[in-house]
Amino acid sequence: MKLKRIILLISIISFTMIFLVGCGTKDKVQSSINNYVQLLNEKKYDEFYEGLSKKSKEYIETEYGGKEGFINKYTSIYSAMNVSNIKIALKESKENLQVPISISMDTSAGQLKYDDLIIKLEKEDNEYKISWSESLILPNMIQGDKIRVQIYNGSRGRILDRDGNILAYDGEVNYIYINPKTFDKSNVSNLASILDISEEYIQNKLDSNSNPDHLIFIVKVSKYDEEKASKALEIEGVNVQVGISRVYAQGEAFGSLLGYIGNITAEELEKNSDKGYTASSQIGKNGLEQVYEEKLRSKDGVHIYIERGEEKITVAKTDSKDGEYIQLAIDSKLQQEIYNQMDNEKGASIAMNSTTGEVLAMVSSPSYDSNTLVSYKTKTIAKELEESKNAEFDNRANNAYSPGSTMKLITAAIGLENNVINPNEKMSIKGLTWQNSSSWGNYKVSRVKDIDSVGLYEATIYSDNIYFADKAIKLGREKFISGAKKFGIGADIKFEYPMAKSQISNSGSIEDEILLADTGYGQGEVLTTPLEVTMAYSSLANGGKIMAPRLVISENSEPNIYSEAISKDFLEELKKDFSGVINDPNGSGYLCKIDGVNLAGKTGTAEIKSSKDDNNGNENSWFVAVDLDNSKLSIAMVMEDMKDKSTSSYLVPKVKNVIKSYLNR
């Protein structure tokens, strides 16, 4: 009995030792393969090489010239395929040196999956080393195979104007190359002059080239700049090849609106990691190209295959897909005319159809030619950007501004609606300054023209700040804020283009009486976008209704009412008052009068001060006008830094020129 117990104990000990040895072996195998997967995902092919068996390294030395060739092999193949997220799962096996696995990896042609594969191991110095062959790059590979990746480009979606004219598309451009074998370096200066780039840039390209058989890429030139390509081609050794790139057909007037595309950054790639972008992708960088990236973007088709002699063995294949087009409500001629009138002054302008809500123009000035950002910046353009401190890249069309006296339509409409304003009653005012009570201390509201008795009409055409400040106070903050929201101020307006949020005040409320008074005539803390000012005045031509603004009519095709902003009971009164701004010789917008055209509108000057006592602040100028009868065109224009220029004599005629041009078509 004792002998049996001893034998049983020995058996248990032996089994336990075998089990532990087995577990230790499995752990080492698992560790070896885990390390293999991690190094592949981290692209540390040099460290991966160190974990291979001696026989594998001997084979690699013969076949690929050693470690360096091995690293280059993996780098070139996995980079071309855009391999990532490699996963290997071990399967149960009784054989430690031949481990069955399943493997998956993401590529530019989609995910690859393989089951029932074998990783062979060799035990060396009590370590498990991987027995390498080409099948560890791709399971189907054998010695002598080459991996090829063929790209089939899709076309990015076009952007069209309201008439179907192309604004942005994938089209032909000229790629300028130098043939180092035939190019004489004495022509560097000549080529730099033609292309308007630095000689140093070209010289560095030449110096960094190590292969005389390869053409050296210099720049990409837009097809709208054919003369440069033609002149460059006259130089011996310069080669011009036609390729496909994003092309913008309308120049600077559309730059801020459309934006541009460019090479994806590492940050953008990480942010869009689940959307199929690669390190070589291009992506919308600004404007509509960025806002509508998902709709516009194309997807390249990819064919990954093994080349084995004359045979092509498909590994994975996807078809290319073109992006979708978008059509805008934009009238290209109107957009260009407004931009020309603004003459590179800082500001913005929005034009819309009062009855449909279609945004006919959306201009930011100054702007940029999007073609220069997908090709290259010349020395001239780079200098201009430096001098302007990149003012061209501030999209002012979606900025929020202090509205100045354009706010007076809103105050007038709210006042009439709440019986605070009676157009037949006049307010007696003495002098050019006023305060509601002595509690204001030294602060007073000022006006330009000294008129003893002021009604709504006079207050509108003379732009009397005191009249509107008084009416805002009498309304009270709750009624004033509620009424302003009907015009979009402080409310959310659904629009296809990102806009700054307007506000009635910094806090959203108006507790202070002085702030309420200032807000009534468009100062204080109130901020509006040019779009909201245009929308407000469009109601005068549309029965008091404001239409929801529409920019992309290919997907937003039906007109919808945004707000019943002005009661029909007071519409005719307001049309009379704000027509007087333009038709009355005393009106601040009289220089916009066009015979036979029934216009209403308002000028505005917004003081930009750091405090109430600031006497050195700048001024922004506004003018908004609406055709009440025929075209229903409503247009607002704001220009910055206008302290030394008259709104009435400088800005008003610009808007008049735009309206006349539009009506005379």
Side-chain angles (χ1 to χ4, degrees):
M1 190 70 175
K2 189 174 183 181
L3 180 60
K4 285 183 179 180
R5 287 179 180 173
I6 293 172
I7 292 171
L8 179 60
L9 181 60
I10 292 171
S11 298
I12 291 170
I13 293 171
S14 299
F15 175 78
T16 303
M17 291 178 66
I18 292 169
F19 176 77
L20 291 173
V21 170
C23 287
T25 300
K26 284 184 178 180
D27 288 343
K28 287 183 178 180
V29 168
Q30 180 77 60
S31 175
S32 179
I33 293 176
N34 286 345
N35 188 50
Y36 157 54
V37 175
Q38 182 179 346
L39 294 175
L40 282 183
N41 275 312
E42 294 176 355
K43 298 180 174 60
K44 295 180 178 178
Y45 307 125
D46 53 342
E47 294 183 33
F48 174 44
Y49 173 85
E50 299 302 334
L52 303 183
S53 68
K54 292 177 182 178
K55 286 182 180 179
S56 298
K57 291 178 180 178
E58 289 171 2
Y59 170 74
I60 290 168
E61 182 70 36
T62 303
E63 190 71 16
Y64 302 109
K67 181 178 179 179
E68 197 66 33
F70 175 84
I71 293 170
N72 290 338
K73 184 80 172 173
Y74 264 97
T75 301
S76 61
I77 291 176
Y78 277 13
S79 295
M81 293 171 56
N82 197 34
V83 170
S84 64
N85 197 28
I86 300 170
K87 293 179 180 177
I88 294 178
L90 274 66
K91 297 185 176 183
E92 286 297 324
S93 172
K94 295 179 181 179
E95 173 59 63
N96 290 327
L97 298 181
Q98 295 198 40
V99 183
I101 64 163
S102 62
I103 182 171
S104 67
M105 64 180 73
D106 294 335
T107 74
S108 53
Q111 189 182 64
L112 303 181
K113 286 185 177 181
Y114 301 94
D115 288 318
D116 302 324
L117 301 176
I118 299 292
I119 289 183
K120 295 180 181 179
L121 301 171
E122 294 183 24
K123 192 172 183 181
E124 295 177 358
D125 302 325
N126 206 31
E127 293 290 333
Y128 287 91
K129 302 287 187 176
I130 291 174
S131 178
W132 188 87
S133 70
E134 285 80 2
S135 64
L136 289 184
I137 299 178
L138 273 180
N140 296 340
M141 279 189 73
I142 62 174
Q143 184 180 3
D145 283 351
K146 293 181 174 61
I147 297 294
R148 303 298 187 196
V149 179
Q150 189 170 4
I151 306 295
Y152 305 93
N153 297 119
S155 292
R156 190 173 176 86
R158 295 182 173 192
I159 303 177
L160 312 174
D161 74 1
R162 65 182 299 104
D163 298 315
N165 299 310
I166 299 174
L167 303 178
Y169 65 103
D170 283 2
E172 292 184 347
V173 297
N174 291 310
Y175 289 77
I176 311 295
Y177 293 89
I178 286 177
N179 185 337
K181 284 186 174 181
T182 57
F183 181 78
D184 191 329
K185 289 187 177 181
S186 64
N187 282 319
V188 166
S189 177
N190 188 16
L191 182 59
S193 177
I194 292 169
L195 298 176
D196 194 11
I197 57 179
S198 70
E199 295 179 31
E200 183 183 13
Y201 173 79
I202 298 175
Q203 192 61 57
N204 286 341
K205 286 273 191 174
L206 291 168
D207 293 343
S208 61
N209 180 56
S210 59
N211 191 336
D213 293 322
H214 283 181
L215 295 177
I216 303 169
F217 172 70
I218 303 299
V219 293
K220 181 170 58 176
V221 178
S222 167
K223 292 290 279 187
Y224 294 100
D225 212 353
E226 286 279 6
E227 189 177 355
K228 282 182 183 176
S230 298
K231 287 184 176 180
L233 195 56
E234 293 174 2
I235 300 174
E236 186 177 357
V238 172
N239 185 289
V240 178
Q241 297 181 11
V242 175
I244 301 297
S245 181
R246 197 64 165 167
V247 178
Y248 299 91
Q250 296 286 350
E252 287 183 6
F254 288 79
S256 295
L257 173 62
L258 299 179
Y260 58 96
I261 66 169
N263 295 330
I264 195 167
T265 64
E267 183 180 357
E268 289 167 333
L269 189 58
E270 183 178 355
K271 184 179 178 181
N272 297 278
S273 59
D274 59 339
K275 295 181 180 178
Y277 290 95
T278 69
S280 60
S281 292
Q282 292 204 313
I283 193 170
K285 294 288 187 177
N286 213 334
L288 286 166
E289 291 279 26
Q290 185 178 53
V291 175
Y292 277 82
E293 168 67 17
E294 280 302 304
K295 184 177 281 286
L296 293 168
R297 68 174 290 212
S298 61
K299 294 182 180 177
D300 292 339
V302 181
H303 185 198
I304 301 173
Y305 62 92
I306 295 171
E307 186 177 85
R308 187 175 294 164
E310 298 296 319
E311 187 181 7
K312 289 184 179 179
I313 303 169
T314 296
V315 175
K317 189 174 184 179
T318 58
D319 294 327
S320 63
K321 182 182 179 183
D322 293 341
E324 299 178 53
Y325 81 96
I326 59 172
Q327 185 169 16
L328 311 180
I330 295 294
D331 181 313
S332 290
K333 291 181 180 178
L334 181 61
Q335 178 91 2
Q336 188 67 59
E337 177 63 26
I338 293 173
Y339 188 74
N340 292 343
Q341 288 294 327
M342 296 190 77
D343 196 27
N344 286 322
E345 296 272 11
K346 292 179 181 177
S349 180
I350 302 285
M352 67 183 290
N353 183 305
S354 301
T355 60
T356 67
E358 291 174 315
V359 175
L360 304 174
M362 191 170 170
V363 176
S364 176
S365 176
S367 186
Y368 54 85
D369 184 343
S370 300
N371 289 306
T372 64
L373 297 169
V374 296
S375 56
Y376 74 104
K377 292 178 189 174
T378 64
K379 285 168 59 179
T380 301
I381 291 172
K383 183 179 179 183
E384 289 172 356
L385 293 175
E386 182 180 1
E387 290 174 350
S388 72
K389 297 180 180 178
N390 288 312
E392 291 82 352
F393 295 100
D394 182 355
N395 190 350
R396 294 170 174 81
N398 60 359
N399 280 356
Y401 292 87
S402 175
S405 290
T406 63
M407 184 74 181
K408 289 170 181 173
L409 170 64
I410 297 170
T411 303
I414 304 170
L416 288 167
E417 184 80 30
N418 289 278
N419 298 316
V420 166
I421 294 177
N422 181 339
N424 298 316
E425 289 182 357
K426 295 195 176 183
M427 177 182 176
S428 179
I429 308 172
K430 302 294 184 182
L432 295 174
T433 60
W434 170 88
Q435 58 180 200
N436 193 45
S437 71
S438 59
S439 66
W440 286 19
N442 295 325
Y443 186 75
K444 294 181 179 181
V445 174
S446 61
R447 60 178 179 167
V448 175
K449 197 168 184 67
D450 187 358
I451 305 173
D452 289 343
S453 185
V454 179
L456 179 58
Y457 180 79
E458 293 81 13
T460 302
I461 66 169
Y462 292 121
S463 202
D464 195 301
N465 292 341
I466 294 174
Y467 179 91
F468 287 98
D470 174 71
K471 300 304 177 278
I473 292 170
K474 287 182 167 62
L475 275 165
R477 61 184 178 87
E478 289 185 5
K479 289 180 179 178
F480 191 87
I481 291 171
S482 175
K485 283 185 177 178
K486 288 184 179 180
F487 291 87
I489 299 177
D492 291 323
I493 296 176
K494 186 179 179 181
F495 189 51
E496 299 98 320
Y497 202 92
M499 286 282 166
K501 186 87 162 60
S502 64
Q503 63 176 47
I504 198 69
S505 71
N506 293 341
S507 67
S509 182
I510 306 176
E511 303 296 339
D512 181 76
E513 186 180 82
I514 292 176
L515 181 59
L516 180 57
D518 286 344
T519 306
Y521 60 92
Q523 287 290 158
E525 298 170 355
V526 60
L527 297 174
T528 60
T529 64
L531 175 65
E532 287 163 333
V533 173
T534 308
M535 289 169 64
Y537 281 78
S538 73
S539 63
L540 294 173
N542 194 39
K545 297 186 292 292
I546 295 175
M547 303 304 291
R550 296 186 293 129
L551 179 62
V552 182
I553 56 176
S554 55
E555 61 180 38
N556 191 3
S557 58
E558 296 298 323
N560 289 290
I561 296 172
Y562 168 72
S563 171
E564 300 274 359
I566 299 175
S567 169
K568 289 184 178 180
D569 295 338
F570 308 111
L571 182 61
E572 291 305 314
E573 174 64 36
L574 290 170
K575 286 165 72 172
K576 180 194 76 173
D577 299 328
F578 286 86
S579 292
V581 171
I582 293 172
N583 295 321
D584 192 312
N586 294 310
S588 57
Y590 184 67
L591 289 180
C592 191
K593 181 176 172 59
I594 302 172
D595 291 338
V597 182
N598 189 14
L599 298 177
K602 189 72 189 75
T603 56
T605 302
E607 297 176 338
I608 313 301
K609 295 182 175 183
S610 58
S611 68
K612 292 177 181 178
D613 301 323
D614 182 5
N615 295 316
N616 299 313
N618 217 315
E619 293 179 353
N620 293 339
S621 291
W622 283 92
F623 184 55
V624 54
V626 55
D627 181 356
L628 298 177
D629 293 336
N630 299 317
S631 69
K632 306 298 183 183
L633 177 71
S634 180
I635 176 173
M637 186 179 290
V638 57
M639 299 186 80
E640 301 176 9
D641 305 333
M642 291 285 131
K643 188 174 183 178
D644 299 325
K645 293 178 181 176
S646 164
T647 301
S648 296
S649 61
Y650 184 77
L651 179 55
V652 170
K654 290 180 179 293
V655 175
K656 177 182 180 179
N657 292 338
V658 170
I659 295 172
K660 284 185 70 175
S661 173
Y662 184 76
L663 294 177
N664 288 336
R665 281 198 226 155

